[in-house]
């Protein structure tokens, strides 16, 4: 099949927009905000019990249930008492390394997630990856507005999630 | 990417420029930890 090159608008549709809106609302909840902040502050997976302790406002069991629901909805991934994925962050190594403004490095789940971190945090980041075909190192700076990216020659592959794949992270 | 596509013709999906991929990332995550909407 020939290579199709699409714009962001062409890659979205009303169904996807509706899904993004629903997931955005979940991401704005206090519990998921706490999880995301944990990934920003420290590398690696976040302990569920640390998240529960940090959410001092609510009952512990309620926070655990919220985290289980977020896992079920594929907004985070919990394994063995650890949150090891909270999109856009991954607690384990991936081909997408994002250097934050303070020099610390985090892993992103995919290229689009890596590109979303600068506007999420409101800070300039550097992204390192490799060409999936030839392995050539790739690096680019991204500011919160995405300034200057039109001049970048790189391309990103946007894979289609398979019907049997519950998690976005398994399709990238 | 064209070379990769030729080697992987059955993979479902499409290519997009970095600037367009940024728009997708911004749409999903923009302003999330700043209390802002993209």
């Amino acid at each position: 099949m020939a290579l199709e090159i699409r714009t962001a608008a062409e890659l979205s549709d009303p169904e996807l927009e509706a899904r993004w809106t629903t997931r955005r609302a979940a991401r704005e909840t206090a519990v998921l905000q706490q999880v995301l902040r944990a990934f920003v502050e420290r590398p690696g997976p976040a302990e569920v019990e640390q998240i529960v302790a940090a959410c001092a406002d609510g009952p512990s069991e309620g926070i655990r249930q919220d985290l289980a629901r977020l896992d079920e909805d594929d907004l985070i991934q919990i394994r063995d008492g650890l949150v090891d994925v909270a999109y856009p962050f991954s607690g384990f190594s991936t081909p997408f390394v994002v250097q934050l403004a303070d020099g610390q490095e985090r892993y992103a789940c995919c290229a689009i997630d890596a590109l979303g971190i600068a506007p999420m945090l409101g800070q300039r980041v550097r992204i390192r990856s490799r060409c999936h075909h030839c392995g050539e190192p790739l690096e680019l700076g991204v500011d919160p507005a995405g300034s200057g990216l039109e001049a970048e020659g790189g391309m990103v592959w946007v894979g289609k999630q398979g019907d049997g794949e519950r998690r976005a992270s398994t399709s990238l | 990417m064209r070379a990769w596509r030729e080697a992987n013709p059955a993979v479902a999906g499409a290519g997009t420029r970095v600037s367009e991929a940024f728009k997708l990332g911004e749409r999903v995550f923009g302003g999330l930890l700043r209390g802002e909407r993209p």
Side-chain angles (χ1 to χ4, degrees), chain A residues 127-147:
Chain A
I127 299 173
R128 293 199 317 272
S129 189
R130 288 184 177 275
C131 171
H132 279 22
H133 186 64
C134 67
E136 180 183 342
L138 304 168
E139 185 167 348
L140 78 160
V142 182
D143 71 19
S147 310

Side-chain angles (χ1 to χ4, degrees), chain A:
Chain A
M1 185 182 287
L3 174 64
E4 267 186 78
I5 299 175
R6 295 188 183 175
T7 64
E10 291 167 342
L11 287 164
S12 66
D13 58 38
E15 187 179 333
L16 188 57
E17 282 287 341
R19 177 174 153 82
W20 281 343
T21 299
T22 301
R23 291 171 68 81
R24 175 75 186 203
R27 287 186 167 110
E28 290 174 347
T29 60
V31 175
L32 189 39
Q33 293 267 308
Q34 186 61 49
V35 173
L36 291 170
R37 278 194 288 272
F39 273 81
V40 173
E41 291 166 6
R42 294 179 296 276
E47 290 183 23
V48 167
E49 290 309 314
Q50 284 186 344
I51 301 296
V52 172
C55 296
D57 295 347
S60 299
E61 195 50 41
I63 303 300
R64 289 190 193 93
Q65 289 173 3
D66 287 347
L67 289 167
R69 199 171 304 118
L70 292 168
D71 181 29
E72 181 64 27
D73 292 342
D74 189 28
L75 285 152
I76 63 174
Q77 176 171 276
I78 300 174
R79 288 192 293 199
D80 301 326
L82 298 172
V83 181
D84 61 8
V85 169
Y87 303 99
F89 298 109
S90 169
F92 49 84
S93 65
T94 72
F96 308 97
V97 180
V98 179
Q99 185 180 57
L100 307 181
D102 64 5
Q104 293 193 66
E105 293 185 343
R106 299 290 182 268
Y107 292 106
C109 295
C110 68
I112 290 171
D113 285 8
L115 288 162
I117 290 175
M120 181 177 88
L121 299 176
Q123 62 178 237
R124 186 174 179 81
V125 305
R126 289 201 71 77
I127 299 173
R128 293 199 317 272
S129 189
R130 288 184 177 275
C131 171
H132 279 22
H133 186 64
C134 67
E136 180 183 342
L138 304 168
E139 185 167 348
L140 78 160
V142 182
D143 71 19
S147 310
L149 292 179
E150 295 80 5
E152 290 288 337
M155 300 282 294
V156 171
W157 179 259
V158 182
K160 190 174 178 185
Q161 192 170 358
D163 290 340
E165 291 173 321
R166 190 174 74 83
R167 290 191 177 277
S169 62
T170 59
S171 68
L172 299 167

